[in-house]
Amino acid sequence: MQIAIAAAKAKFAELARKAEAGEPFINTRHGHPVVTLHAIGGNEDVPLIGAMKCKIEISDDFDEMPAEFMVGLSAPTVPE
């Protein structure tokens, strides 16, 4: 679809929503194409499973408690 820049200025938010939905627009000045408004890549639905593969690293000692923390857990509690 082609639309004059002056008209597009008044409807920019609406045109942006339509472009995001996959309907690109060609903006014209004096009837000549000047710019195109279209959605950029990367808006595709990203699958949740595997989306962070190779981006998170868990250390080998992740599930080991530090010794100083364990001392605090094993100390007897004294009621006040």
Side-chain angles (χ1 to χ4, degrees):
M1 174 177 170
Q2 290 191 3
I3 186 167
I5 290 175
K9 189 166 95 169
K11 298 180 176 185
F12 185 75
E14 176 188 344
L15 294 175
R17 278 191 293 278
K18 287 183 178 183
E20 286 176 318
E23 184 180 346
F25 292 90
I26 298 172
N27 293 339
T28 61
R29 181 178 289 134
H30 306 295
H32 300 286
V34 178
V35 296
T36 302
L37 176 65
H38 62 88
I40 58 172
N43 290 344
E44 303 85 25
D45 290 334
V46 176
L48 295 179
I49 297 175
M52 297 299 291
K53 185 176 182 177
C54 299
K55 296 184 181 185
I56 297 175
E57 184 177 322
I58 298 174
S59 66
D60 293 333
D61 64 347
F62 175 77
D63 56 352
E64 295 175 16
M65 293 287 214
E68 57 273 6
F69 183 77
M70 295 301 290
V71 168
L73 291 178
S74 61
T77 56
V78 179
E80 294 182 25

